[in-house]
Every structure is written in structure tokens, then in C-alpha cells.
Amino acid sequence: MAASFFSDFRLMWYLDALEKNEFMKFKELLQQETVQRGLQPIPWVQVWKAIPHELASLMTMHYGEVLAWDLALCIFPKIHRKDLYDKATRERAESAYGAHVQNKLVSMWSRDSFSEIPGCFEQTLTREDHESLEEYFTPRVPRRPHTVVLLGIPRIGKTRFLMKLMLAWSDGTLYRDKFSFIFYLCCRELKQLTATSLAGLISREMPDDSVPLADIVAQPERILFIIDSLEELQCTLTEPESELCRDWREQRSVKTVLSSLLRRKILPESALLLAAIPGRPEGLENKLDRPNIQELTCFQDSHVKQFFCCSFGDGARAMAALSLVKNNEHLFTMCHVPLLCWMVCTSMKQEMQCGRDLAATCCRSTSVFLSFMFQAFTPRGATRPSQQGQGLLKALCSLAAEGMWTDTWVFGEEDLRRNGIADTDTPTLLDLRLFRKHSKSGSSYSFIHACMQEFCAAMFYLLDSPRDHPSRAVRPIEALLLTYFRKDRASWVFVGCFLFGLVHESEQQRLDALLGMQRSRELMPQLLGCLKNLVECKDPKNKVEFLLLFYALFEMQSDAFASHVMSSLREAHFPVRERPDLAVVAYCLQYGSWLREVTLSVPDTFLEERGPDPMSIHTLLRWQQFCCVLTANVNLQKLRVEDSILGKWALVSLCFQLSQPTCRVQSLETSKVSFSCETGIFFEVFTSNPNLQHLSMTCIQLTQDDVSLLCSALSNPVCNLQELLLKDSGLSAKDCEALALILMTNKKLKLLDLSNNGLADGVPTLCAALRHPDCTLQTLVMAGCQICEHFCPHLSEVLLRNANLSHLDLSRNPLMDEGVVQLFEALRQPSCHLQTLCLRRCQITMRICPALAIVLVSNPNLRSLDVGGNSIGDVGVRLLKEALLHSRCGLKELSLDSCQLTRGSFNDLARIIISTKSLHTLDLRSNPLGHKTIRELTRVFLQTRKVLQRLRTKAIPGSYRPPASRKEPVDLKLCSPPSQCAVLLL
């Protein structure tokens, strides 16, 4: 882009755009302008005869490209062609910006070059990458802005790939006609800013103010924003729209500005390329406007094999080393990053040359890094690092630890000196390939790879005490574990794994032999105590990321240690995104014999291979091992699978294990799960395992055939399902026939939840079954099923004739006053045994209160009533008050939340609180009562030694305010003695 702007060909294009008379005027002014500037004019005869391309060549030849363009830009406005002047000025600025980007990136690239891996650090894109990138911004939806999400595992090289993209753009080989400006926004750098604007972020990338920002944003469709490392900002993209900004000049927090950009509130026509880690933030693709999801892979399996062969030279030794690496999928995954692959090969090759057993010294990622470090610091011919080498190693680890805690990845000379690295040591660290320069002058440095810094930081805790560190930012090991396992810092990817790997028995022996130290053995009980406290902690703020914990235990490979930690777990929640996750999770779950509940997600199709074969043998075996361990736990009661894609063989393997008589799982819950095969395989599980009593299928679209298969399983005598939840499953009125048959024939089913399905026309069919004398259903939930008042007579008949039905939820249905009054006619009859009725958001008003009051005094069976979200109002409370205080009223729970109650209902509510003879719980949340009214009601509640035990309301200022937020609800429970109360946040 930059190099070609000043060419005579481009100048010719502009001259050719002139009309004949304009062109002649241009020639005349050219002669005048050159004389005024004191330049040697081109002979007039040549100028007069020249056509556009000839004149462009003459100007370039006589004055050079830059001066020729200056002359042209000076003349264009004088011949009334300001349009050409503006166009050329903009293109010139774009070209200058492209040159700035190119110079900046070439400089960075030269510092990061790594000759040991030929081809992997080339600046130019491969042909395949180029073709792929061109497709990134091919319109998927006509006239819709582009959003591309580039997903890649941590440390795989997303930033380097983006640098290649920008270099290709800057030299005009990529996106030549799409984008005039590309702005790179690195969240790792931006999070240091307190407040900024999109204008401020753009200005950071501009070399000068030659182009006004207003001119740049005037064509937003010509701008590409590249946002790297979004996980560093911990953006959730869930802020209310009212908090987002819509002006590119508005100063807000970095999070808010980037969220506004990503959610198309600022410059919505611009293109976005977002590089992120899978699952960070969770559900990212659902929070963006139809993103084009792409996955970045660096080395393929074949590339890893090829690199091993090239690195070792000897094919047999290369294959032996590669075979060992493949046995540890975590280590094998690391090898898909070129630089880490080089480190692994370097370590293994040197261990082989020293005659050591690779199975003992390079079997895990920690052992490979440890070998690399000791090989670097051990002089040739020696068996251990020298005293000087040990000192430099400790200083290097001290620097790494400080960097982790201060979120520093580039270090100045003062940082090095503070941690004990002298100026004379830096050439050594560069030669050892542990450091690399980060500036031309050599005044700033970084570790060769972020993983190396994480490893050295982990080693610091074995070599020294944080109390003695020169920086106060470095915290104790307990804080490190808490920060790592809570995932508080996105840049901490492997430090926890490395720390646990270093206390492995074999690494302890190597550390003792090489450094003569025993601190690694002292850490084992300290780590165990920290982990047990973490996993047993009930505070949501200290919630552990289970997959990180599992990887740490897997890296440690201590059966006794894993058993101690896992024995404290009662529940675990984790995703299975990559192949290594399977082996890691399976290893840990075999020690989780006390687990009661497991929630897992398989959000990607990694289980399914490309091509006709459904699964690779290796992956299938891993998945089978995982399923076997999962279901072999005799204490496991609940298994929840969510946000998953299960192919045929994955589903077959899981269902096979669930069908085994040794499987003690009682509750199976699935949510947003896609079965890429017939669901009959899944439903057959319930005809084989009588232990399964609960099935929940939420947000899973079931066909009519699927429902038939499910009902067939329910008809099987082995099936013991007592609770069936089919929420938001795409059911229709036609499916009600099969369900009705089950209601009349299955005497084990006690709960049926059909929420959020369009079943309105199927209500008569279901009600006919519910009235059948053989129906034993106790709980029916049909919230949000599009049931209107016309179907209430059918439901009323059910209430009168079904003595088993004790709980009915019809929330979020437009029953209206007319329909609910019909239900109340049935409820007041002695033959109605219903105990719980939920009518939330049913579009009812205070007009139903007289009928409800009659129900309350005539039906002692009704124990719980929820009419929240309806327009009951102060008048409605007044109409219900006497009934609630009646001696025959048996109601124990009443919800009036979001019922538009105001200060006017204070006296009636206070009377109910003081004098109720049955009510235990009263819910008044989300009503415009005002803080004063809430405070007074709370005082009444606390001073009353009566029946009411729980008052739920909003937080209030003063002594009753909860510590978290005034906006949160308060749940006041009366304790014993009654004059005391506990304040609980719900």
C-alpha cells in the first residue's frame, strides 16, 4: 500500500480524470508553480504535447515521486477539482498509515524471529492462510456488517497470526479493496487504561494527526478493528444497553467502549475481527451479531511429526520421542505451537544424547520444561548447574514471578536488576534462548514464550520464599492458587499446572540432585491444605474452575494426592472442549468417589472426525474411558449434560455406560444438547436402568417421533421415571396424544413439566387423561404454554376430579380474570385437593380477589399461592386481608411480588403480618412500596411473636441494608427466640 502510492501510474490515474480544458489548465499552472518554487521547469514543448501518462512520467522523472505529488495536490484545488485533492490526500494518508503499520510490525517481527523453526516465523501468509482470510469477510448476509471470531487455545499464536494479517494488508496483498484502515487493539495493553473513548483508542495507533479522526470514521465500512486477547478484560458482553455508549468520542471504561463496539453501538458498519480463547467469555458467539466463527490451528499432527523427524535427524529416535509425547495429550497439544514444539524436541534430543530415559525425564510438560532449563544452565561436561548458574536461575524465576503478579510480560533493565539479573547476564540469557529482545536498543526484554515465564514463576515458589521477594506485589502460594483456580487472571494459563508438576516425585528427585534443595517436599502438604480449603469453600466468590484443578492434578500424577483432593468434592462442573480434556477429567474422576453431582458440557464436535468415519479410534477410547469412570461412581446421583453436541458414537458410548446395572445415577438432566443421531438410543437407557428416576430435557427440540420413542420407553415396565421435564422442547398439540396415554397408564410418573411449549390446542386431550381414574400425576407444570381463558373449563374439571394432583403451575399464560375465576370455582369445592397453585404473570387483576377470598376460607387444602407479576394492587390486598386472617384459611405461602403494591397497602399488610393464623411466608419483592414502608413493615415483622416466619422484600437503607447492594432483595427469617432475625441475601 505505502510503497505504491507515489508511483507515476497513480498520478497518471488522477491526471486522466481531468477534463480536456482542466488538463490544459493543469499544465499551465504546473509551469507557474515550478517557477514560484524555484524549480527547473520541464520544457514547455514536452509539457504541451504530453498526454496524462506521459506528463506523470515527466513530473516523476524531473522532481521525484514525492515532489511531483506535492505539485499536483497544490494545483488540483486551483482548477476546481477539490474532489481529486481530497481523494488523493486521503489515499496518501492511508498509504502513510500502512507504511507506519508495516515498519512497526517488521521491527517487531525481526525481534521475534526464530531461525530454529524455518518457515514457521515467515512474515508472509501461506497460500492457504491467504485464501482463508479472504473468505473471512465474504458477505454471509447481504448488507450486514462483518464480525469474525478467531478462536484458538491459549499460547497457540493468535497474536502472531494477526501480525501476519496486518503485514499482508500493509503491503497491499490482502483486503486491498476492503479496508482503508486497520486498527489493532490489544486488550492486554488496554486494560491498563482507566478511561478512554474509541477516538482515543484509534489515536493510539495513528502515527500523527495527518488524517482527522472525523474523516476516518466518516467511512466506517472501510475500517477493520482487530481486537486481541479479549479474555484479558474479562468482558462478559452482558451489560444493559443503557450502559453502552453510542458516540465514538465518549469517554468510558475500556470494557464499556469495547463492548459498545462489539455489540454494534459505535460505528456499527465497521468490520470486527476478534481473537479469543474458546469459551472466554462464555457463549461469545450468541452475544455478537451473526459472527463468522473461525478456528486457528498452527501445527497439524502431520506438521508435528515432520518437525520431530527434521529435528532428530534419526527417524527411529524421532518416532520413539514422538510416541512418548503422544502418550500425554497435554504435552502433545503443546507441540502444536511451533516454538513449544522446538523446546520439546530440543529437551528430548539432549536427554537422549546424555543417555537418559525419556520416559522418566520428558514424559510430562513440566518435566520437559525442567529439562530445558537445566540443560540451559548446566555447563557442557558438568552434571549440574554451577553456583553462578543457580544464582542466575533464581533471579530469572524471581523476575518471572514479579511479572505474573504485576501482569508484566516485557521487562526493562531496572526490572532485571531489581531481581538480581545484571547487565552482563542478559547476553547469556539471550544466547540460552530464554530471553528475546523487545526493542531495537535492547533495553527491554521478554521471555522467549509466555509459557516459559509461567514455568519460571512456578519454579520461584520452590526456589525461594515470596516474603523475601524485592517486589511486594508477589504474594504467597495460597494467593497464587486461589487466583489461578478462580481464573481471576486470564493470562495465567499454565502456572498452576507447572507448580503441581514440579512437586511430582521424579521432579523432586531431580531438583534435589541438581540444586541440593528440599523445599519441593515441604510444599506438598501446603498445596494439599490449600486445595482442600478451596474445594470445600462454599463462598461463590471462591468458586474453583474444576478443569484447571483437574489439569493440575493430572500434571502432578500423584494418586494419593488426587484421592485426598477429590474426596472433598461433592459436585463438579466442567467443559470438555479438547481431546486432552477427556484423559485429564477421566483421571481425576476415578478418585472422585464421593461426588454426588457432575455437570459437563461438550460444546464442540471434536468428538466427530472430518470425513465419513464418525470417530477416531483413539478419541473413542478416551471418551469410553471417560464415560466408564463417570458412571462407575456408586455415589453419583445426578448427571447434567448441557451446551453439548453429541455424535452417534459419543452418544452410544455414554448411553451404554448409563445402562449398566452398576450405574447408580438417579437424575439425568440435559440442556441445549444436540443429538446428531436418533434419540431412541438415548431413551433406551431408561428401559435398562431402573435407578434413573428423573429426566430433564430443556431447550432440546423433539420431533413427534422423538416423543413417541420417549413414551414407548415410559411404557416399559423397567422404566422407573418419576419426574419428566420437557421444557422448551418444541412440543405441539399433536404430541399431547402420546403424553396423554402415558398419563393414563404410567402409575410411576409423579411430575410432568411441559413449560414453554405451544400446547394450547392439546390441553383438552391432556385434561381428559388427567381426569382418568388411573392418572396418578401429582405435579403438573404448564407455564408459558399459550393457554388462554377458553381452556380453563377443562382445567377446572381436572381440579375437581383428580384427587392426586397437588401442584399446578399455569404461570405466563394469558388466562385473564375470566379464566382464573373459573379455576377458583373449582378450587372452592371440597373435592379439590390442590395444595399449590402458581399463576404468575397471567394477566389478572384485582377483580379476581373476591373469588380468591372465598377460596381461601372454603378450601383448607390450599397451602401455597403465587400470583406475582399481576395487577393485584392495594385494593386487591384489602379484599384478601380478611380471608387471609380467617381461622379456616390454611394458606402457608403467599407471593405478591411485582403486584404494584404501594404505601397505600401498609395497614393491610401490617395487619396480615401481625394477625395471620396460618401464613408462614409472605413475598413482597419488586413492589413500589418505598424504603420507608419497607422499613416499617420490617419493624412490625421483627417485633411480632406470631405465626409469620419469613418476610421477603427489597433491601432498605439503614440498619437493615445488606452489605452487597441496596437493590438486592432481603429475606427476613424469624429465628428462635422470635425477637432475633437473620438477614439472608437471595
Side-chain angles (χ1 to χ4, degrees):
M1 291 178 68
S4 62
F5 176 78
F6 292 108
S7 67
D8 55 356
F9 175 79
R10 186 176 291 270
L11 180 57
M12 178 210 73
W13 186 92
Y14 277 85
L15 295 178
D16 200 42
L18 297 174
E19 299 292 340
K20 186 175 181 179
N21 61 325
E22 293 172 339
F23 187 49
M24 285 304 299
K25 187 64 175 175
F26 181 93
K27 292 178 179 180
E28 294 172 4
L29 292 173
L30 176 63
Q31 294 299 97
Q32 297 175 17
E33 189 68 27
T34 53
V35 172
Q36 290 175 6
R37 296 192 183 197
L39 301 172
Q40 180 68 37
I42 305 170
W44 174 248
V45 175
Q46 294 182 31
V47 173
W48 182 72
K49 291 181 178 181
I51 58 178
H53 82 270
E54 293 172 342
L55 183 58
S57 298
L58 285 170
M59 291 174 66
T60 303
M61 182 175 62
H62 279 77
Y63 307 120
E65 292 178 339
V66 176
L67 187 52
W69 266 104
D70 283 340
L71 289 167
L73 291 175
C74 180
I75 296 169
F76 285 151
K78 295 179 180 180
I79 61 175
H80 307 294
R81 290 304 303 267
K82 192 173 182 302
D83 59 320
L84 294 180
Y85 171 82
D86 291 341
K87 180 178 175 62
T89 301
R90 183 180 177 88
E91 287 190 358
R92 188 177 186 179
E94 292 170 2
S95 184
Y97 176 71
H100 163 73
V101 170
Q102 191 171 57
N103 293 335
K104 178 182 176 181
L105 293 176
V106 168
S107 175
M108 292 172 60
W109 201 279
S110 63
R111 296 195 302 269
D112 294 346
S113 62
F114 205 77
S115 59
E116 283 83 350
I117 311 179
C120 294
F121 286 79
E122 297 289 339
Q123 293 182 15
T124 55
L125 294 165
T126 64
R127 181 174 59 84
E128 292 79 6
D129 286 341
H130 199 285
E131 292 175 354
S132 176
L133 284 168
E134 285 288 1
E135 291 295 320
Y136 278 15
F137 293 98
T138 299
R140 306 174 74 209
V141 180
R143 296 183 301 280
R144 202 172 191 90
H146 301 286
T147 301
V148 177
V149 178
L150 181 64
L151 297 177
I153 61 175
R155 311 289 190 245
I156 199 171
K158 295 184 289 296
T159 300
R160 183 169 291 275
F161 184 76
L162 296 176
M163 288 172 64
K164 281 188 178 185
L165 181 155
M166 290 185 287
L167 277 169
W169 170 79
S170 68
D171 63 25
T173 59
L174 182 68
Y175 304 145
R176 180 191 301 272
D177 301 320
K178 282 188 174 74
F179 306 119
S180 300
F181 292 92
I182 290 183
F183 298 111
Y184 175 74
L185 308 177
C186 178
C187 295
R188 179 174 292 172
E189 300 172 2
L190 298 182
K191 69 180 181 181
Q192 309 300 332
L193 303 177
T194 53
T196 187
S197 63
L198 186 59
L201 298 181
I202 293 174
S203 297
R204 287 167 54 93
E205 300 301 309
M206 296 294 292
D208 51 47
D209 56 358
S210 58
V211 185
L213 294 185
D215 291 350
I216 294 175
V217 301
Q219 292 183 295
E221 70 281 356
R222 299 284 299 170
I223 301 175
L224 169 62
F225 290 101
I226 297 178
I227 302 173
D228 192 10
S229 306
L230 181 67
E231 64 277 357
E232 291 286 344
L233 284 176
Q234 298 184 346
C235 282
T236 60
L237 301 180
T238 56
E239 304 93 336
E241 290 204 5
S242 59
E243 296 181 7
L244 302 178
C245 51
R246 288 162 174 78
D247 188 338
W248 56 276
R249 293 158 296 195
E250 186 178 351
Q251 288 267 339
R252 301 290 286 275
S253 69
V254 176
K255 276 187 182 182
T256 301
V257 171
L258 288 184
S259 290
S260 303
L261 181 64
L262 290 169
R263 291 169 64 182
R264 300 290 181 186
K265 303 305 176 186
I266 317 178
L267 303 187
E269 300 86 359
S270 62
L272 304 174
L273 173 55
L274 173 62
I277 296 172
R280 307 276 297 277
E282 188 175 348
L284 174 63
E285 59 275 13
N286 298 322
K287 299 171 182 176
L288 301 175
D289 184 17
R290 302 193 187 185
N292 178 7
I293 307 295
Q294 299 290 333
E295 184 177 354
L296 177 65
T297 55
C298 211
F299 266 8
Q300 302 290 342
D301 289 2
S302 59
H303 297 147
V304 176
K305 180 179 179 181
Q306 183 180 5
F307 190 87
F308 266 73
C309 292
C310 294
S311 180
F312 282 85
D314 184 336
R317 299 178 75 185
M319 289 301 98
L322 182 60
S323 176
L324 182 67
V325 168
K326 283 186 173 181
N327 286 335
N328 186 312
E329 291 204 48
H330 187 205
L331 182 57
F332 186 54
T333 300
M334 276 191 167
C335 287
H336 289 72
V337 179
L339 196 147
L340 297 182
C341 189
W342 168 81
M343 286 182 57
V344 171
C345 288
T346 300
S347 296
M348 300 185 84
K349 187 165 60 173
Q350 292 188 12
E351 292 291 321
M352 277 185 172
Q353 291 170 353
C354 294
R356 299 191 184 101
D357 181 14
L358 291 184
T361 60
C362 291
C363 58
R364 295 170 298 111
S365 43
T366 304
S367 57
V368 169
F369 273 80
L370 188 60
S371 294
F372 185 87
M373 292 293 292
F374 281 134
Q375 290 160 9
F377 283 99
T378 302
R380 183 168 296 180
T383 58
R384 57 188 296 178
S386 63
Q387 202 69 28
Q388 181 182 0
Q390 291 185 34
L392 184 55
L393 174 60
K394 289 184 177 181
L396 187 67
C397 293
S398 174
L399 178 71
E402 180 180 320
M404 295 300 291
W405 282 108
T406 59
D407 207 21
T408 303
W409 305 88
V410 178
F411 303 93
E413 292 176 341
E414 182 57 36
D415 299 323
L416 273 61
R417 295 190 196 103
R418 183 172 58 253
N419 286 280
I421 301 176
D423 294 349
T424 54
D425 293 329
T426 51
T428 302
L429 295 174
L430 291 169
D431 291 341
L432 293 176
R433 287 298 193 185
L434 296 172
F435 259 17
R436 64 183 180 189
K437 292 182 180 179
H438 213 270
S439 64
K440 289 182 179 179
S441 63
S443 60
S444 60
Y445 304 87
S446 67
F447 285 82
I448 190 173
H449 193 275
C451 285
M452 179 60 73
Q453 180 173 335
E454 291 196 79
F455 177 78
C456 290
M459 274 201 70
F460 166 78
Y461 284 88
L462 280 81
L463 301 176
D464 213 337
S465 169
R467 291 191 299 271
D468 302 327
H469 197 282
S471 172
R472 293 184 177 179
V474 177
R475 302 184 63 192
I477 195 169
E478 294 86 355
L480 180 137
L481 294 180
L482 182 62
T483 302
Y484 178 73
F485 288 121
R486 287 192 316 194
K487 225 171 190 176
D488 286 348
R489 302 200 178 200
S491 55
W492 291 22
V493 179
F494 297 117
V495 63
C497 283
F498 286 142
L499 180 62
F500 279 80
L502 284 168
V503 295
H504 185 275
E505 182 64 31
S506 63
E507 312 313 337
Q508 290 183 25
Q509 294 173 3
R510 294 170 73 186
L511 288 167
D512 292 347
L514 293 169
L515 299 177
M517 54 178 291
Q518 297 293 325
R519 179 164 168 75
S520 59
R521 300 182 186 279
E522 300 171 4
L523 279 182
M524 183 78 82
Q526 192 176 358
L527 292 177
L528 180 61
C530 289
L531 278 191
K532 286 183 75 70
N533 288 337
L534 273 178
V535 299
E536 292 174 359
C537 181
K538 303 300 182 183
D539 187 351
K541 295 180 181 178
N542 294 333
K543 183 181 178 182
V544 171
E545 290 282 344
F546 289 100
L547 197 58
L548 288 179
L549 172 64
F550 293 166
Y551 265 97
L553 296 177
F554 183 78
E555 187 69 17
M556 191 177 188
Q557 289 289 309
S558 168
D559 296 347
F561 191 94
S563 181
H564 276 300
V565 174
M566 294 298 295
S567 66
S568 301
L569 285 179
R570 296 298 178 267
E571 61 181 57
H573 313 266
F574 51 86
V576 180
R577 294 192 180 96
E578 308 291 337
R579 285 187 303 180
D581 296 348
L582 290 173
V584 169
V585 171
Y587 169 80
C588 292
L589 288 183
Q590 66 180 324
Y591 301 107
S593 57
W594 292 101
L595 278 170
R596 300 289 187 271
E597 178 180 338
V598 168
T599 301
L600 70 102
S601 62
V602 189
D604 203 355
T605 54
F606 77 94
L607 296 174
E608 300 298 331
E609 298 294 322
R610 305 286 186 256
D613 294 331
M615 253 180 136
S616 70
I617 297 299
H618 181 71
T619 307
L620 176 60
L621 291 174
R622 288 289 192 197
W623 176 252
Q624 287 177 337
Q625 178 192 12
F626 166 75
C627 295
C628 183
V629 170
L630 189 67
T631 57
N633 185 344
V634 295
N635 291 307
L636 187 65
Q637 297 175 359
K638 179 186 290 187
L639 173 61
R640 179 175 175 82
V641 184
E642 58 186 17
D643 298 312
S644 299
I645 301 173
L646 296 180
K648 178 180 178 181
W649 296 109
L651 183 61
V652 167
S653 299
L654 177 61
C655 291
F656 177 78
Q657 295 300 332
L658 288 171
S659 301
Q660 300 303 306
T662 54
C663 177
R664 294 292 185 265
V665 174
Q666 298 176 16
S667 176
L668 182 57
E669 299 184 2
T670 57
S671 175
K672 297 181 181 178
V673 177
S674 173
F675 301 110
S676 55
C677 60
E678 290 186 359
T679 53
I681 301 171
F682 178 71
F683 295 134
E684 286 178 3
V685 170
F686 302 95
T687 65
S688 305
N689 188 342
N691 296 313
L692 286 165
Q693 299 175 15
H694 175 101
L695 171 62
S696 174
M697 300 183 76
T698 303
C699 299
I700 300 175
Q701 297 303 299
L702 298 176
T703 66
Q704 200 168 346
D705 290 340
D706 293 334
V707 175
S708 296
L709 290 170
L710 170 60
C711 291
S712 177
L714 286 166
S715 301
N716 191 296
V718 178
C719 179
N720 253 347
L721 277 181
Q722 297 178 21
E723 300 177 349
L724 177 62
L725 290 76
L726 301 176
K727 296 184 284 187
D728 197 6
S729 296
L731 303 182
S732 66
K734 293 181 180 179
D735 299 310
C736 292
E737 296 180 9
L739 293 171
L741 182 61
I742 292 301
L743 291 174
M744 293 185 291
T745 57
N746 187 320
K747 296 186 180 300
K748 299 174 184 177
L749 192 64
K750 303 302 178 186
L751 181 150
L752 179 61
D753 188 341
L754 302 174
S755 299
N756 302 329
N757 292 289
L759 302 178
D761 293 337
V763 169
T765 304
L766 288 175
C767 288
L770 290 165
R771 295 195 303 266
H772 196 277
D774 292 334
C775 178
T776 58
L777 193 72
Q778 297 175 1
T779 299
L780 176 63
V781 181
M782 297 184 71
C785 287
Q786 303 174 16
I787 303 171
C788 65
E789 68 273 20
H790 303 303
F791 298 101
C792 288
H794 299 281
L795 294 167
S796 299
E797 283 294 313
V798 172
L799 297 179
L800 290 172
R801 297 174 58 179
N802 189 326
N804 297 306
L805 192 65
S806 59
H807 180 108
L808 178 62
D809 187 346
L810 297 174
S811 301
R812 293 182 287 109
N813 287 298
L815 300 180
M816 317 300 285
D817 293 341
E818 295 79 2
V820 171
V821 168
Q822 293 181 66
L823 294 178
F824 288 168
E825 283 294 326
L827 275 170
R828 61 187 291 187
Q829 303 303 319
S831 59
C832 179
H833 293 80
L834 196 71
Q835 298 178 20
T836 302
L837 178 62
C838 298
L839 297 173
R840 296 186 60 81
R841 294 165 53 192
C842 286
Q843 301 181 28
I844 54 180
T845 69
M846 47 79 59
R847 288 199 296 263
I848 59 98
C849 292
L852 175 56
I854 295 174
V855 171
L856 294 177
V857 298
S858 59
N859 188 342
N861 297 319
L862 191 62
R863 293 290 185 265
S864 177
L865 176 65
D866 187 346
V867 290
N870 294 294
S871 302
I872 301 300
D874 299 340
V875 175
V877 173
R878 188 171 301 116
L879 293 171
L880 294 176
K881 179 187 64 176
E882 294 303 326
L884 289 168
L885 301 179
H886 198 281
S887 60
R888 294 189 59 189
C889 177
L891 198 68
K892 295 185 179 301
E893 297 179 1
L894 174 62
S895 177
L896 295 172
D897 71 291
S898 307
C899 283
Q900 303 177 17
L901 308 186
T902 70
R903 171 74 181 174
S905 62
F906 170 75
N907 290 333
D908 296 314
L909 291 172
R911 177 78 186 282
I912 293 171
I913 292 172
I914 295 171
S915 304
T916 180
K917 297 176 177 57
S918 64
L919 208 58
H920 289 177
T921 300
L922 178 60
D923 190 347
L924 301 176
R925 291 174 300 167
S926 302
N927 282 296
L929 292 165
H931 289 308
K932 182 179 179 181
T933 304
I934 293 175
R935 186 164 51 245
E936 292 173 353
L937 286 174
T938 304
R939 187 179 298 112
V940 169
F941 170 74
L942 295 176
Q943 293 175 352
T944 302
R945 296 169 179 261
K946 296 291 184 178
V947 178
L948 192 68
Q949 298 295 309
R950 177 180 293 184
L951 177 64
R952 304 180 72 180
T953 181
K954 277 188 175 180
I956 56 176
S959 60
Y960 302 113
R961 186 185 66 173
S965 168
R966 292 190 180 188
K967 295 181 180 179
E968 295 183 13
V970 157
D971 182 11
L972 298 179
K973 285 185 179 179
L974 201 60
C975 303
S976 180
S979 59
Q980 302 173 359
C981 92
V983 180
L984 305 176
L985 292 181
L986 294 185

